[in-house]
Structure formats: structure tokens, C-alpha cells
Amino acid sequence: MLLHTSCELNFEIPEPTVFVLMLRPRSSQQQWITQEEYRLSPSVQMFEFTDGYGNLCQRLIAPPGDFAVYTAAEVNTPEFVEVAPGAPFVEVQNLPDTALSYLLPSRFCESDRFGQMATEITAGQLLGYDQVLAIENWLRSSIRYEPGSSNVLISAIEVNLKQSGVCRDLSHLGIALCRSLSIPARMVVGYRYGLEPMDLHAWFEAYVGGSWYTFDATQPGPKGGYVAIGFGRDAADVAIYNQFGPPVYPIEQTVSVYLKH
Amino acid sequence: MLLHTSCELNFEIPEPTVFVLMLRPRSSQQQWITQEEYRLSPSVQMFEFTDGYGNLCQRLIAPPGDFAVYTAAEVNTPEFVEVAPGAPFVEVQNLPDTALSYLLPSRFCESDRFGQMATEITAGQLLGYDQVLAIENWLRSSIRYEPGSSNVLISAIEVNLKQSGVCRDLSHLGIALCRSLSIPARMVVGYRYGLEPMDLHAWFEAYVGGSWYTFDATQPGPKGGYVAIGFGRDAADVAIYNQFGPPVYPIEQTVSVYLKH
Amino acid sequence: MLLHTSCELNFEIPEPTVFVLMLRPRSSQQQWITQEEYRLSPSVQMFEFTDGYGNLCQRLIAPPGDFAVYTAAEVNTPEFVEVAPGAPFVEVQNLPDTALSYLLPSRFCESDRFGQMATEITAGQLLGYDQVLAIENWLRSSIRYEPGSSNVLISAIEVNLKQSGVCRDLSHLGIALCRSLSIPARMVVGYRYGLEPMDLHAWFEAYVGGSWYTFDATQPGPKGGYVAIGFGRDAADVAIYNQFGPPVYPIEQTVSVYLKH
Amino acid sequence: MLLHTSCELNFEIPEPTVFVLMLRPRSSQQQWITQEEYRLSPSVQMFEFTDGYGNLCQRLIAPPGDFAVYTAAEVNTPEFVEVAPGAPFVEVQNLPDTALSYLLPSRFCESDRFGQMATEITAGQLLGYDQVLAIENWLRSSIRYEPGSSNVLISAIEVNLKQSGVCRDLSHLGIALCRSLSIPARMVVGYRYGLEPMDLHAWFEAYVGGSWYTFDATQPGPKGGYVAIGFGRDAADVAIYNQFGPPVYPIEQTVSVYLKH
């Protein structure tokens, strides 16, 4: 399906402020960017670099006053993500080098503390895809999904105590559970067609059977219409913006996703 | 200046043909992409990867029949490139690691054979920017520039014998001369506003005084309006398309560059 | 000073077990490896790769039975690390791209929760090196250093609650405090001459004044004799071994560091 | 087999001279470095970096006077390299990204000019390994191998005209022929057990059937005892030393390879 996505951030900047943005989706095996826009108002110089996960990041100094960032894209993405029940667990010795860092615990995914719980949740499952599916199902039935967003970042341990969370929180817990079973898992931030209320979204991917597969405990299946902006170990890596100095929050954030045809 | 650039390639494909395209300009310190399009007709799956020089490359299999690639961008780029007379030669020990590979000879820039000639051309110049400027001036006065393009790739040695060439050829000779003086130099392929006849263009950059500077013996100064698509050691690295299997040539190639404001 | 370092790990492996080792120090601006050994007994095939931080990692499957890993090196390293009181804070816009990921919170360094505390500890200090020095001094006076090692990995928040820790724990807290002030900080694991009791060691580096500087709240100054094996965001990234499957612990771990001359 | 390799270079340096050395073999799937030495006399500061092909390179400024570089290694390497008659050609669309640059022409391998010749040499062969084997056999029977080394670097076209060459020259021609058939091929420089006269050696690898295989038209089969130091497109990329400024040649170069057991 061909989707049009856009995200506009409006700030009132009190003093010159450094931003690192991650707002440019990249073409990949899963999605193809046919058109793209990236505008700042007022226009200031930006520097783009590629981070350690392959994401394109944009660095800039926002000047005092009104400051707007507008990005949009037209993206070909599957109506239904690929599923692969039975896809086998990949033994660590056979993982590609680049997947190995997604086995390690990270800021919001303390996978070193979830071994026993993950074993219980996935008891009786075939090793691999079916384990991750059991984790997704467990999340759906056990952790209450709160649509919308939250500025307070909590970690998988905290999500598990709280028994509820936004999309990011459920993803963190899902990732932590996967990694504790030696299944590489990573955070994805991006757009999803049909999300209600419309907003940026977060989901996760797990590496089984030789590929990365999409999981999302906040949405019913069959799922699709995803547009990824960034990949990383967890939300610390894939913030759509990191801002340094005294905190500045968007006074308005407008996200849209609609179907082109 | 804000430029709109586009390149359309039309092929008649006799049998499924693998292409590696390099047609997506990247945002950088010199240019910012505010809008971008990339369309295939018919639409086929593309895979994008980053090559060893940081260029975005697109891999695909063109199906038999008419096949069109259309890319366009809106780019903020300086009306006049930075110049830096007197910018000093950077001793090899102080070059960034990433510049070192641009000191080595390459397919079309046999810098290992130009030491004496480069020394003569740059005699009396301050080491650094002024040497490269002397090379650019020598190219302009000694090698006849033939606007337009050529499918026959010839190397710096051959260009020097022939005493004439297209933009790519003059760049190859300029690069070979720079490298023979231990000045890192690289090929750039892209667009240039006002080029006559309009076409894709090639120029070169040399690393002096801690930065890459633009040189182009085919255009009068002051120069500007450049939009880079790819960087590499020479034309072998920055072909806008590499095609594998029986050769297929575009039946039409349309390039446009116009001023937005 | 020229140091000889060695680390021998002995395991009893119950079933084939995948290891990712990080035990090969690299030559760098700070240290030069003049001699190096890396032996397994029994010998099995190893695959080496470079992780996202530039560390050399070795992957292998340990066979059942006794299994030993022996690595040694002869390393030229400064007797006293460089210090730079007054070295200024580097504004985020001026940091090299590679330093940016060391600003983010990570598994054991929840820098997103330490802003106020870091501001208090460094009150009145010049921005930059002096802030980090204040943090190091605060750690030394406030967190009791427990020589030796611990298998229980705790995070900066937990260290701060416990008010004591091994070298790794003090480093995590130091790193979290630095990052909360927008100072890039990273974990280093390696050897230190004269450590008592001898063992592997962990310390941290902070990026100020355009360079990475060594800090270590567990050792009195002037400090030196360090040999780095690995760099990363925290202990999750620089484990000297990660082992997958049912846990296996070394039955013996022997570390030596002595002066060659 | 366990080999001990060493290379000593002795220079008389007239004025401070920048070197980029490539003399540290890396552990890989094919070879494992169990011990290694790297010494300079006099000792000067070295900086190590990883080039675009994954080779470890060492940068330094040699001081005036006698200057010696000594490197040695103990390496586990197969007595016989793997061969794979029938291993199929990999369609370009299925090549890993990292193999693509080894399809392009390079300084000493003008593969863009060898299409017809390669087609004739490999006529009737199965696509893939057997084509490369036919090229190796053709080199052995058509280009006279001159043991020893040469300071004059000539390209594949020149080798083909001259009908003779050192190991490097035969490799260049073999690589150019492979690439012209869309088979990725790369240069390897290193040691070979039993070479007469003993010296550094060059051979090539081709990517077929999903792996890189070793080819060497200068040695009879079955071949083995190889220790790779560097990989690249051709000799321009894998010089064991690049030296900048007025040329300096080793007054002595001593290479040894012997069997440990």
C-alpha cells in the first residue's frame, strides 16, 4: 500500500538549542520511499550523519523563537507484514554479527532480569517465532495498552510492575523477554496506518528464521501499514528528537498517515 | 539557492537485468535535501544500501519491457562554493583516516604515474589549495573540454594523451595530479545549475586546509549551484548506474535543473 | 611503561556453549600492542568481528569438558594518564558523530534520572574536565569502593542506593552523572598495573576539550598503567565474555600484569 | 598447520617520513592468530585504524636514521585451502552488499576491458567456480610466472601484453578476468609457506557459491599454507607500506615462514 506520512513539530525555543533529530525514513527491504520532504522553519543549517544502527540523524541548532520541523514521505509498505509461524530459533553461533548487539540488555530492556519469566510465558512453544508470538500474546492479555504517548520513559521492569503502558512500554517488555531467550529483538519507531489516536508509534522486531519479523502487542492482527523511521536497542536509541540543554517540549506535534492508493 | 533537480532514465529491457543505481543525493554540510522523489515504472522491489564511501545505492532487477527510473530533489545548495586561496597542505600524518584512501591510485586516476608532471604544473605555488588551483587552471588551458557525455571511459593517462575530454575526463586527470602530490582528491558526480547542454556532471574535490573544496576545470568561476549525488575514487565508484549482464543502454536520459527561488 | 598482561579463563563445559569473547586489546593512540597471544585449549575454530564500538570480538562454540582461554599481551602504555584541568565542555553541536551515542542512557547508566544530582555535585565547577573531576572526587568520598569482583550487575541507580560497589559500579555511576550533564562518557574494561587484588578492572572516560580522558574513582592519583581491552556504553557492551545458553562460570580466572621495563 | 611468519623491513630514513603500514594479519574464518608481535626500532608512536576493507593499518612518522619494522605472527591456517568445483555463480542481486565493490574495475584491474577475453577463456565452463578455475589454469599456461618481486606496478592490460609477471601481476590479470564476468574478485597479500624464494606473496580470491575461495596461478595444487595480511581491490589497496614524500626504499626486507608443528 502507498502511504503518505507526515510529522510536524512546533517549538518555542527560549535560547539556542541543539537537537539531534531522527525523522527521515530509509528505504529498505520492507519499505520504499517514493517521495520525501524535510523542511525547517526558519531554515537553519543541518548536518546529517548515520548512527551505529544505520539510521539517518540530523543535527542542528534551533534559534530562539518559533521553530518548526516538517517531514513527510510517501512510502510503499506491505498491507500485511510477513508472519512465519514455525520459523526456527537461530543459534547464537549462526546469527549475523550485526544481530549480536540486539541480544544485550539496554537502558529500558533489562533482559538480564527476565530469564525465568520468559521461560514460563513461552513454555511448550517451538523455539523461535512461536516463542515471540507467545510473548506478544501474553503482552496483549496481561499488560493494559494505553493509547497515546507519555513523556515519562519507564523500563521493562517498571512496565511489568505497572501492568500497563503506551506502545513504547509494551515493546520494551517484549524486547526484554525475547532477549532473555537469546532471541535478538529491537525497537522500531515510526508510523502506522490507522492508529487511533494518530501519533507516532513504536513496535518491535525479533530475529528468527534468518529474518527480522514485526511484532506489536498493541494492534490486532493481521497487521500492516507500518513505516519505520528508526531502529535501535530501545527508546534511548530511537528518540525522534534528542534535545540538549534546558528541556524544550513541542507546543504542538501533528502526525498524519493516509492512504494514497 | 534552492534548486530542483531531476533525472529520468528510460530503458528497454530485453531480459531481467540487475542494476545498482546511485541516484539519491544525501544531505550533508554542503547541501540539504528539502524534498525528494524516487519512482520506478513499473514498480519493482528495491534494496538500498550504503557503500564504502557513504553513498546510498539502490539494487533492483529490472523486468523485461519498458523500464523507467525517475528521481527528483529540491536542494538547498550554495550559490558560490567556498574557495580558500592559501589553505595549507595537510601533512599525511594529520589527515583524517577517511581521507587516506583518496590518496591511492584508482582505475581512472593513475596517480602513481603523474608525480613529475604535477610537480611541474604546480611549481612555485604554495603547498595546498594553490597547487590544486594551479592544476585546475592548467586543465582549463591545456585540455579541451568537450561538453556532453561519452560512454567510453578513459583514464587520466589517456586523457592526457588525447588532450581533450568530457567533464569526467578532466576530473580524472585533476584527481590523478592532486594525489601524486599527496593531496587527497575525489570524484563527485551530480547536477550543476546552468550546465549547457544540461546533463549529469562530474567534478572533483581536494582536501586541503582541513576541508574538502570543490574544483571544476570545465566551468568558469565563481562557481556554484552544485548538487552532489555520489563521491568516490573515480568514475568506477560513482556510476549513476551499474548494470550487470548483457549491456543495456538508456534509450532516453533526461536531466533537468532549475531554480526554485 | 611496557607491561605484560595476561588473562586465563578455565571452564568446565557441560554441553556445547556459544561464547562471544572480548579479550584482544587493540593498538590506539593511548596504547601500542607490541606482542600478543590468544590460545584456546582445546583449540576450536574462532570467528573474529568488530563490534559497533570498534572492539574486536571472538565468537566460538566451546566443546564439552575442560576449556581454557589464554590471552596475553605486551603493551606500551603511559605511566601517567593525561590530565587536563580546565579542558572545556564541548557543546553538543561540536561533538564528533561517534561521541553522540555516549550521551544516551544505557542499561546500567540511567543518565536520564541523574540531572539534578549531577548539577549539585558539580556546582561551582568550570564546565568540562573540572566537572568530571568533581564527579570522580564525589564518587571517591561518597561511594565505598569494594575491591574484587561481583557477578551481580547493578545499575547506577542501585549503586547510588547501596553507596558501595566494585570498580564497575563506581564507573557506571560516574558515567551516568557525566551524561546527565551532556558530557559523553564511556566504560572501559581492561587491565591496570598494581591493582590489588589483581583482577580485570573497569574505569571510565569522558570526552571534554576534544579528547577522551581517563577517570577512575577507585585509584589514587596520579594514575597510569592502564591497558584497555574494550569500550562501550556500559558493562553490557564490554563483557569480556558473553555466554549463551545455560550459564557457565569460570572455575578459575587468573589475571596478571607485570612490568617488563 | 601452525605457521610462524615474520617480516622485517629496514630503512635508512633521510628526513621524517610518513608511513601507512599494513602488516598486522587479522583472525578470520580462514586463519587464527595465536601469537603476534609488532615492534619498531627506534620506537615511535603509531596510530592504528581500520580501512574500508577491514584491514588494520598503522600510521607513523619514521624519524631520520636507521629505522626497522619487525612483525611476526603464529597462525593456524589450513594445510589445504578449500576447493569447490561446481560451486555456482552468484547472481549479482544475491551478492552481499560488501562484495559489490569487488565487481568494479580498479587501478590495476581494468575489468571493463576484459569481457570478451574472459568469455573465451571460460567457454564451456559451468558458471561460477569452474570459470575461475579455468582462468587460473589459463594464467598458469599463458603468463610466465617470474618468482621474486618487482617495484614496478603494472596493470592487468600491461601484464597481458607482457605475457609474464610476478605473483601480483598474475593476480591482477586473474581478478580483472573474473570481474569482467560479474564474479567478485579481490587481491590478497600475505605469506605462503614454502614459497621459493621466500618473500611476501600475492594471490586472489573469488566469490562463488556463497564464499570467497583462494586462487593462485603461481603455485601448483593442492595449495595451502596461506596467511593473509590484507584484502583489497588490487595492489593499490594492499601495499604493506605506503610512504609519502620523497621515496624511501627498504635497504633490507626479510621474510620468513616456518612450520611450528
Side-chain angles (χ1 to χ4, degrees), chain B residues 18 49 53 59 61 92-93 95 97 100 104-107 110 112-113 153 158 233 236-237 242 244, chain D residues 18 49 53 59 61 92-93 95 97 100 103-104 106-107 110 112-113 153 158 233 236-237 242 244:
Chain B
V18 178
F49 66 95
Y53 303 98
R59 203 168 4 166
I61 306 175
V92 175
Q93 61 269 39
L95 287 173
D97 297 345
L100 290 172
L104 301 175
S106 59
R107 169 65 184 96
E110 306 99 331
D112 47 310
R113 307 260 171 110
L153 281 158
E158 295 165 316
R233 289 204 210 164
D237 291 330
N242 274 303
F244 301 92
Chain D
V18 178
F49 65 96
Y53 304 97
R59 202 165 11 162
I61 306 175
V92 174
Q93 61 267 42
L95 286 174
D97 296 345
L100 290 172
L103 287 174
L104 301 175
S106 60
R107 169 66 185 93
E110 306 100 330
D112 47 312
R113 307 261 171 109
L153 280 156
E158 294 166 317
R233 289 206 209 162
D237 292 328
N242 274 302
F244 301 92

Side-chain angles (χ1 to χ4, degrees), chain B residues 148-165:
Chain B
S149 64
S150 155
N151 278 319
V152 183
L153 281 158
I154 62 175
S155 76
I157 289 175
E158 295 165 316
V159 176
N160 190 41
L161 291 171
K162 197 176 157 224
Q163 301 278 302
S164 70

Side-chain angles (χ1 to χ4, degrees), chain D residues 142-213:
Chain D
S142 309
I143 308 293
R144 190 163 45 81
Y145 167 48
E146 295 165 338
S149 64
S150 155
N151 277 321
V152 182
L153 280 156
I154 61 175
S155 77
I157 289 175
E158 294 166 317
V159 176
N160 189 42
L161 291 171
K162 197 178 157 222
Q163 301 278 301
S164 70
V166 298
C167 54
R168 181 181 59 216
D169 301 328
L170 274 73
S171 300
H172 281 153
L173 185 47
I175 291 167
L177 289 164
C178 288
R179 288 186 195 158
S180 73
L181 300 168
S182 297
I183 296 175
R186 65 185 182 187
M187 184 86 170
V188 194
V189 69
Y191 300 94
R192 185 179 179 273
Y193 177 60
L195 195 69
E196 294 201 348
M198 181 44 67
D199 203 345
L200 289 166
H201 191 51
W203 60 95
F204 70 104
E205 292 184 348
Y207 190 88
V208 288
S211 295
W212 289 100
Y213 291 95

Side-chain angles (χ1 to χ4, degrees), chain A residues 18 49 53 59 61 92-93 95 97 100 104 106-107 110 112-113 153 158 233 236-237 242 244, chain C residues 18 49 53 59 61 92-93 95 97 100 103-104 106-107 110 112-113 153 158 233 236-237 242 244:
Chain A
V18 178
F49 66 95
Y53 304 98
R59 203 167 7 164
I61 306 175
V92 175
Q93 61 267 39
L95 287 173
D97 296 346
L100 290 172
L104 301 175
S106 59
R107 169 66 185 93
E110 307 98 330
D112 48 310
R113 307 263 171 107
L153 280 157
E158 294 165 318
R233 289 207 209 162
D237 292 329
N242 274 303
F244 300 91
Chain C
V18 177
F49 65 96
Y53 303 98
R59 204 170 1 168
I61 306 175
V92 175
Q93 60 268 39
L95 287 173
D97 296 346
L100 290 172
L103 287 174
L104 302 175
S106 59
R107 170 65 185 94
E110 306 100 331
D112 47 312
R113 308 261 171 109
L153 280 158
E158 294 165 318
R233 289 206 209 161
D237 291 330
N242 274 303
F244 300 92

